Amino acid sequence: MRVAQALSSKQTDEFAKPGRLVEVRFVKGQSLSLTASRLLALMILTAGGDAWRDVPHRMRKADIRRGHKGNERISDMLEELHRTLFAEDDRSWRGRKATRRFSLIQMSKEEVEDEDGAESGWIEWEFTPDARKLIQESETYAVLNRQAVLGFRSSYALKLYEIGALRIHRRQPTWRCDITALRAALGIAPDVYKDFAQLRRKVLQTAKSEIDQLAHFRVEWKETRQGRAVAEVEFRFEAKDAPAQIGTVDELDRHSAGRRARREGTVEQLLIETPDTIAPVGKAKGGTTPGAVARAATDDEPSGERAAEVSSIVKQLAGRMNASDAGPRPKFASFPSGSLRWLGGEEFLAVGRSHGGGWDIDMIAEAYRGHMGDRLAKLSGTKLQKSWQGFCESYVTRKGRPT
């Protein structure tokens, strides 16, 4: 709960869910729908470090609805949370092994008269004593991302994401279970996916594809067989490297429309015919660049020889740009020595803007030149492009994003 309080004070998308609440299993034949699972996650997020206290918690309906205009589904979700039972291993009054069954929500109120419009509606709820005790006594926690939780389209993927987030930072980030425990943990009804091949295709593979796209880790699993039947499954959760995590953050910031197509690689690309070369720019005689011309033109009003010199430079540059023997400049032929915003650095500027995380592109370029040294002169073409892009991504990883 101290961790939950600390995360809440930072006002970020991250929140803590108690480990025992993650590991609690559904009673056989019961499970939460995706929308109800999301609502429960939002309740944990909203309650924060006070989730274990015997006090009511409140949340705006607008924070639940997201893009939907109506509130009709909120009542269904609350009722589903009330009637769903969870189970946990316990001891009886005689000290024998027992199964304890309980619900998580004991009371909820939903405003039905929104005098100021739908945006002003609120809900109020209280956790059951069993739920509060479970939350208070939990010694482990999973750090979840609100955008990721709301981005999942499979309730099984969301549940496996929570299990992975609970284990990712352990010395052995694995979870091993038999098929019965797997079905209970994910809430898979006993009458569906009876064949493991179906369960693998419809549940595990779907969950993996979503987790690999939206979570800060990846998931793999290994099946152990007894004869021809799968007896156990061992899941392994592996943290993503820095470039992959940046890609995940970018994906979470994008609209959910088209997310599945991007995941499956079936996005239709808009192709615009562009040459692999840049229109010739060239330097004026004596190595004068357009930047030099710009600086000269912005100096004090030229007069006499100074004015004649500026006029000559402009004419030479214009003549060079229009010369019949000035061939096109290959893209990424060499890294510019000056500002990437000058003519001749367009392709490098575009890469910096896409992968530089909002930092000043010329500042990254200066750091890149210092990092590469003499090696920079040996790179060109695709190798130079990938080297520059990789440095921009690593720069953001080291520095974070500018505030």
Side-chain angles (χ1 to χ4, degrees):
M1 287 295 94
R2 288 195 296 269
V3 174
Q5 192 70 44
L7 291 175
S8 178
S9 65
K10 292 182 179 179
Q11 296 183 342
T12 65
D13 281 334
E14 291 187 333
F15 66 99
K17 185 171 183 178
R20 290 186 62 184
L21 198 57
V22 171
E23 294 183 319
V24 69
R25 63 183 185 272
F26 294 101
V27 169
K28 186 176 181 180
Q30 294 195 25
S31 64
L32 287 176
S33 65
L34 177 61
T35 53
S37 297
R38 287 174 178 166
L39 177 57
L40 178 59
L42 291 176
M43 286 176 164
I44 296 297
L45 185 156
T46 302
D50 295 327
W52 65 276
R53 299 183 185 277
D54 185 11
V55 295
H57 308 281
R58 301 173 183 88
M59 179 169 36
R60 292 194 319 146
K61 289 184 178 181
D63 294 333
I64 305 172
R65 290 197 318 269
R66 300 182 71 203
H68 298 278
K69 295 182 179 180
N71 294 322
E72 62 278 357
R73 297 200 306 170
I74 296 178
S75 299
D76 296 336
M77 288 186 279
L78 287 172
E79 292 173 6
E80 183 178 348
L81 283 175
H82 276 288
R83 65 175 178 263
T84 301
L85 290 176
F86 297 83
E88 188 181 41
D89 293 334
D90 203 346
R91 291 282 178 177
S92 70
W93 61 277
R94 296 194 298 170
R96 298 185 179 182
K97 290 183 178 180
T99 299
R100 184 161 60 96
R101 299 175 180 85
F102 57 94
S103 58
L104 297 179
I105 308 298
Q106 71 174 4
M107 182 280 295
S108 67
K109 296 179 183 179
E110 178 190 2
E111 291 184 345
V112 294
E113 295 182 3
D114 299 331
E115 297 179 356
D116 299 327
E119 293 297 324
S120 64
W122 287 73
I123 67 167
E124 181 179 333
W125 75 94
E126 293 178 4
F127 292 112
T128 62
D130 286 314
R132 294 198 304 271
K133 181 180 178 182
L134 180 146
I135 291 171
Q136 184 179 14
E137 295 179 352
S138 180
E139 296 180 354
T140 59
Y141 60 90
V143 176
L144 308 178
N145 183 283
R146 179 181 182 276
Q147 289 180 286
V149 168
L150 298 178
F152 285 109
R153 292 295 178 265
S154 164
S155 60
Y156 305 133
L158 176 55
K159 188 62 181 178
L160 189 58
Y161 164 69
E162 294 179 348
I163 293 171
L166 179 63
R167 290 168 169 77
I168 185 63
H169 295 300
R170 295 182 181 179
R171 181 174 299 177
Q172 293 293 332
T174 59
W175 176 48
R176 187 165 185 165
C177 58
D178 58 27
I179 304 304
T180 301
L182 173 64
R183 299 179 73 98
L186 300 187
I188 305 174
D191 57 338
V192 299
Y193 310 135
K194 296 181 179 180
D195 182 72
F196 188 82
Q198 288 183 316
L199 189 147
R200 182 195 299 117
R201 184 175 66 256
K202 297 291 188 178
V203 176
L204 300 185
Q205 291 178 352
T206 299
K208 171 181 167 55
S209 63
E210 289 200 49
I211 290 172
D212 289 353
Q213 184 183 31
L214 301 178
H216 58 285
F217 56 87
R218 296 187 178 89
V219 60
E220 301 289 346
W221 73 85
K222 180 176 65 175
E223 301 165 9
T224 301
R225 294 179 178 270
Q226 288 184 352
R228 299 181 61 181
V230 176
E232 289 185 337
V233 181
E234 181 178 347
F235 294 89
R236 183 169 187 85
F237 306 98
E238 178 183 354
K240 293 179 179 178
D241 56 20
Q245 289 200 27
I246 293 173
T248 298
V249 172
D250 291 339
E251 178 61 40
L252 291 173
D253 286 338
R254 300 174 74 178
H255 196 279
S256 59
R259 182 165 286 161
R260 180 176 180 179
R262 292 192 294 271
R263 181 169 65 244
E264 297 176 352
T266 58
V267 178
E268 294 184 358
Q269 301 288 343
L270 179 62
L271 299 180
I272 302 176
E273 291 188 4
T274 57
D276 292 331
T277 57
I278 300 296
V281 176
K283 293 183 179 181
K285 186 177 181 180
T288 305
T289 66
V293 176
R295 290 193 299 273
T298 56
D299 286 341
D300 294 338
E301 184 70 22
S303 60
E305 294 182 0
R306 176 66 171 168
E309 181 183 355
V310 172
S311 177
S312 176
I313 291 175
V314 172
K315 288 181 180 179
Q316 290 176 8
L317 180 59
R320 176 60 175 165
M321 293 178 70
N322 296 323
S324 59
D325 61 345
R329 175 179 65 81
K331 282 186 176 181
F332 302 102
S334 61
F335 198 82
S337 58
S339 173
L340 302 188
R341 293 176 172 82
W342 290 356
L343 295 177
E346 301 92 335
E347 63 269 43
F348 296 96
L349 181 63
V351 171
R353 284 174 173 168
S354 298
H355 303 277
W359 289 96
D360 180 79
I361 309 304
D362 286 336
M363 183 168 64
I364 301 178
E366 191 62 29
Y368 179 58
R369 296 187 190 97
H371 173 73
M372 295 297 294
D374 295 336
R375 294 174 295 168
L376 190 56
K378 301 177 182 179
L379 293 180
S380 63
T382 303
K383 290 184 178 180
L384 177 57
Q385 176 187 1
K386 292 183 177 180
S387 174
W388 166 237
Q389 178 178 327
F391 184 86
C392 290
E393 294 172 347
S394 64
Y395 189 93
V396 177
T397 301
R398 296 194 309 272
K399 300 285 188 179
R401 293 180 180 264
T403 57

